[in-house]
Amino acid sequence: MKTNDIVYNDWQRHKEITTEGKIKDSEGSKVHLALPKIPKQDPTLWAETVNVSEAVDFDSMFPNPAFKWKFELDSFQKHAIIKLEKGESVLITAHTSAGKTVVAEYAIALSRRHMMKTFYTSPIKALSNQKFREFRSTFEDVEIITEDVQISPKASCVIMTTEILRSMLYNGQSSVQDLEWVIFDEIHYMNDSERGVVYEEVLILLPEQVGIIMLSATVPNTLEFVSWVGMTKKRKMYVISTPKRPVPLENYLYTGQSRKSQEHKFLILGAEGTLLHKGYLDAIEAKKPKEKVHAQQKDTGKGPLGGGRRYYDHRCNKKEGNQVKNVTAIATPTPKWGPQHQKQLWIRVLDHLRSEDKLPVICFTLSRSKCDSNANLLASIDLTTAKEKDAITQFLHKCLDKLKSSDKNLPQVIQMSSLLNRGIGVHHSGILPILKEVVEMLFQDGKVKLLFATETFAMGVNMPARSVVFDDIMKHDDKGRRQLLPSEYIQMAGRAGRRGLDSTGTVLILCKDNVPELESLHKMMLGKSQKLESQFRVTYSMILNLLRGKQLRVQDMMKLSFGEVHFR
């Protein structure tokens, strides 16, 4: 075990206090301790929820606002701006594409008016790049900082990843002295087991006079979290939430795998937010013809793709009034899908989406290699017009012209250029940075009609499509293979539907063989979002930075962490 793990685990063991005021030792037995009684602080002392339904006369309050938009602001946006004008710090929680960026734009404009700076932080470089392009088109003096790019002293808005801001705070750079706001986009990313600790470090180290704006997806324990931030920074925090989704979603189970069945999709969750049992049962029924073929081949010991097959019962629950009735359907285990079968499936899905005018589409494939292979299977598919091809070719030439001649001939560059000319893109961490940026810009411009992407593309990047397709709802993490969490599913599905362009967003879950269990679908689509939890851990880097800067001791950082909020 590593030294820093020993330090952290020792600290964790000593804070595992149960609700009965006892502590568990390393063997799990309870030991009575004479613990001091710590009076609970009133959560409203540091945090308050704003009632966004309360009407405000925004125009009369701010006849000369720092920034104006061409559209009418939503209620939650108006309330957030009112708090910013008062210099208050806020946490904005809303669904994807609800308009959280409006608050960030106003903060940048406000700091420009006050001749100060705003730092915009994001969890990933793709989001930083996208926000840099977006804000640069709105404000003149916007810069982006990376490990090898120096900050512009005149920029009123600087975009960076949260790790870079942490380094700046540890180094005590003078650029944070005239800082008015720090915007934390996708603050719920602090739940990440590897990088979540960065958010806690930054929030602890940030000077108390700096205003904090946190943008997040919906989370259940917002008051608990902002109470910790307020207590740490000695300032009151305000929670502004909206349950409204700007473009309602329609979630379907797609069972089509042949030309005859390519229109087979069944509504499982509509805009009203109720799981539809009829759609689920219809999807199971649609799979039965294929299962009969399996049954006929059972005697020969061969399945549809060769090899023997076993059979099992696949159960779902049918709700009738207040009664739950078991419905059993015979299903087959997952077959070994070959490249030809994958290709035919994607062609059917594309034909279906094109017939219903549901392009562009983002196909979330939770594997980098699978993103590449799926795109390469569609060599015969062309989704662009001659005019679009010319525009794509010119854009590629302009972007790739900066590369060395040897780099222009890299296999990935040649392959991606061919795909993009046909309106197909691939986006994941294995793609060259310049190619990822090209894909993002062409997708934003509507030239990429079909995008195979991993879930990082949904991390705050404001690039909605008309439809979203899930190649699979199972993913691998450091603990093994599991189903998508509600927050992960909502984050990706929320990319369907373009505000002001689409009345609804379409989400398809591909049922390649078996229809997922109803209970699993319910948990994934309607389950509670993951709570914000402390990922704090002591690392060698943290210890060295604290010793060098002499700002805080390691013990102080531990006491100020989110995990210790109930013991303060």
Side-chain angles (χ1 to χ4, degrees):
M1 184 180 288
K2 296 179 181 178
T3 305
N4 58 328
D5 289 335
I6 294 172
V7 173
Y8 176 60
N9 290 338
D10 184 62
W11 167 64
Q12 283 280 31
R13 190 180 74 249
H14 285 289
K15 78 180 189 71
E16 287 180 357
I17 298 176
T18 67
T19 56
E20 300 171 359
K22 301 171 184 177
I23 190 169
K24 294 181 180 180
D25 63 12
S26 56
E27 284 75 32
S29 57
K30 293 179 181 177
V31 180
H32 291 269
L33 295 175
L35 297 174
K37 291 186 178 180
I38 303 174
K40 282 191 174 182
Q41 294 195 40
D42 183 1
T44 59
L45 183 65
W46 300 110
E48 182 180 324
T49 301
V50 176
N51 181 14
V52 297
S53 62
E54 183 180 334
V56 292
D57 192 357
F58 186 79
D59 294 332
S60 63
M61 291 176 69
F62 305 106
N64 185 29
F67 192 81
K68 293 182 179 180
W69 293 266
K70 295 179 181 179
F71 53 86
E72 177 67 20
L73 296 179
D74 289 339
S75 178
F76 85 93
Q77 294 166 336
K78 292 178 181 178
H79 280 278
I81 289 172
I82 290 172
K83 292 300 180 186
L84 296 191
E85 284 282 1
K86 295 178 180 178
E88 307 283 4
S89 295
V90 296
L91 167 64
I92 313 293
T93 65
H95 286 294
T96 303
S97 302
K100 297 188 288 289
T101 304
V102 164
V103 183
E105 288 175 334
Y106 198 85
I108 296 168
L110 207 56
S111 64
R112 293 182 71 200
R113 173 177 281 185
H114 298 158
M115 300 184 70
M116 297 185 75
K117 290 181 181 178
T118 294
F119 282 178
Y120 180 98
T121 71
S122 73
I124 56 174
K125 287 183 180 179
L127 180 55
S128 293
N129 292 333
Q130 193 259 335
K131 289 301 179 185
F132 173 67
R133 294 193 299 269
E134 182 180 336
F135 292 153
R136 194 70 180 269
S137 64
T138 306
F139 306 98
E140 294 178 1
D141 50 345
V142 177
E143 294 295 337
I144 186 169
I145 181 171
T146 61
E147 289 83 355
D148 52 0
V149 176
Q150 293 299 316
I151 186 171
S152 169
K154 295 182 180 179
S156 63
C157 175
V158 185
I159 299 170
M160 65 192 78
T161 58
T162 317
E163 281 85 353
I164 290 176
L165 178 56
R166 176 182 62 176
S167 298
M168 293 173 68
L169 293 171
Y170 273 130
N171 294 333
Q173 291 191 14
S174 59
S175 55
V176 301
Q177 290 179 357
D178 56 349
L179 185 61
E180 183 175 19
W181 300 103
V182 171
I183 301 167
F184 295 91
D185 204 352
E186 306 292 323
I187 190 69
H188 55 270
Y189 201 76
M190 70 172 288
N191 274 341
D192 184 80
S193 58
E194 293 296 320
R195 297 168 58 199
V197 61
V198 178
Y199 286 89
E200 293 188 62
E201 289 180 83
V202 169
L203 286 167
I204 292 170
L205 294 170
L206 206 60
E208 290 183 5
Q209 73 273 14
V210 177
I212 297 171
I213 300 169
M214 298 179 286
L215 311 178
S216 172
T218 53
V219 290
N221 60 330
T222 51
L223 276 178
E224 178 188 13
F225 174 65
V226 296
S227 292
W228 166 71
V229 177
M231 194 185 308
T232 303
K233 307 311 328 167
K234 301 295 186 290
R235 61 161 60 211
K236 191 158 188 175
M237 301 287 299
Y238 293 88
V239 179
I240 299 174
S241 304
T242 175
K244 180 183 176 184
R245 184 180 289 280
V247 181
L249 298 182
E250 292 182 343
N251 300 260
Y252 294 87
L253 297 175
Y254 183 82
T255 61
Q257 292 173 20
S258 64
R259 189 173 295 277
K260 278 186 177 181
S261 63
Q262 74 177 32
E263 304 300 324
H264 285 188
K265 69 175 183 182
F266 304 94
L267 185 64
I268 184 70
L269 182 67
E272 68 284 350
T274 304
L275 208 63
L276 304 175
H277 293 73
K278 183 182 183 303
Y280 181 77
L281 295 174
D282 289 343
I284 289 180
E285 190 68 26
K287 301 294 292 180
K288 284 187 177 180
K290 184 180 177 182
E291 290 155 7
K292 289 177 182 177
V293 173
H294 287 313
Q296 291 170 2
Q297 294 170 336
K298 185 179 178 183
D299 294 336
T300 65
K302 294 182 178 180
L305 304 178
R309 292 287 183 265
R310 293 183 179 180
Y311 291 79
Y312 63 12
D313 285 344
H314 181 76
R315 295 184 180 274
C316 67
N317 292 327
K318 180 180 179 183
K319 192 172 182 181
E320 297 179 351
N322 294 323
Q323 300 297 319
V324 176
K325 179 181 177 182
N326 285 334
V327 179
T328 304
I330 303 300
T332 58
T334 304
K336 296 177 181 177
W337 279 70
Q340 191 61 27
H341 295 87
Q342 292 278 7
K343 177 181 177 179
Q344 291 303 318
L345 172 63
W346 285 112
I347 289 175
R348 301 303 171 220
V349 172
L350 270 177
D351 287 345
H352 170 70
L353 292 174
R354 291 173 82 176
S355 67
E356 296 200 347
D357 193 23
K358 293 295 184 181
L359 297 180
V361 57
I362 303 172
C363 300
F364 283 109
T365 307
L366 308 177
S367 160
R368 293 188 305 178
S369 60
K370 211 168 180 184
C371 281
D372 295 331
S373 61
N374 284 342
N376 293 333
L377 286 172
L378 302 178
S380 61
I381 300 298
D382 195 339
L383 303 172
T384 55
T385 63
K387 186 177 179 180
E388 288 173 330
K389 288 183 192 300
D390 288 340
I392 292 169
T393 301
Q394 291 177 21
F395 184 74
L396 282 170
H397 179 74
K398 180 181 177 182
C399 294
L400 302 179
D401 193 47
K402 300 174 183 178
L403 296 177
K404 297 177 183 178
S405 56
S406 57
D407 292 339
K408 292 178 183 178
N409 294 320
L410 288 171
Q412 191 179 95
V413 174
I414 296 171
Q415 178 66 17
M416 187 67 78
S417 299
S418 173
L419 288 170
L420 290 172
N421 268 290
R422 293 182 283 112
I424 301 172
V426 179
H427 191 286
H428 57 69
S429 59
I431 302 295
L432 293 170
I434 189 171
L435 290 180
K436 275 203 293 188
E437 195 165 349
V438 166
V439 170
E440 291 166 10
M441 295 175 78
L442 287 174
F443 185 82
Q444 274 189 310
D445 200 34
K447 300 295 190 299
V448 171
K449 311 297 175 66
L450 168 63
L451 179 66
F452 290 101
T454 53
E455 63 180 307
T456 53
F457 187 78
M459 183 59 70
V461 181
N462 187 24
M463 297 183 192
R466 202 166 262 176
S467 307
V468 160
V469 173
F470 285 90
D471 182 28
D472 197 355
I473 56 173
M474 303 294 292
K475 65 173 285 187
H476 288 278
D477 61 12
D478 54 356
K479 296 179 181 178
R481 187 168 164 83
R482 62 167 175 81
Q483 186 176 271
L484 291 174
L485 299 173
S487 56
E488 293 169 337
Y489 178 81
I490 292 169
Q491 184 93 19
M492 288 184 269
R495 295 297 160 199
R498 300 165 301 176
R499 189 171 189 174
L501 295 174
D502 303 321
S503 58
T504 58
T506 301
V507 182
L508 299 183
I509 298 174
L510 301 188
C511 303
K512 295 183 178 180
D513 295 282
N514 302 326
V515 178
E517 292 184 3
L518 186 63
E519 184 180 352
S520 299
L521 289 172
H522 186 278
K523 183 178 179 181
M524 180 180 71
M525 294 177 172
L526 297 173
K528 287 186 178 180
S529 298
Q530 191 176 6
K531 290 174 61 178
L532 290 176
E533 296 179 345
S534 176
Q535 303 298 327
F536 188 88
R537 66 182 186 279
V538 177
T539 63
Y540 289 121
S541 174
M542 182 190 297
I543 294 171
L544 292 173
N545 279 317
L546 290 172
L547 289 173
R548 182 182 59 181
K550 298 181 180 179
Q551 298 161 302
L552 293 168
R553 299 178 304 164
V554 177
Q555 296 95 318
D556 297 329
M557 287 287 285
M558 291 165 60
K559 289 177 183 178
L560 290 171
S561 69
F562 183 37
E564 288 287 296
V565 67
H566 297 295
F567 304 97
R568 289 164 63 183

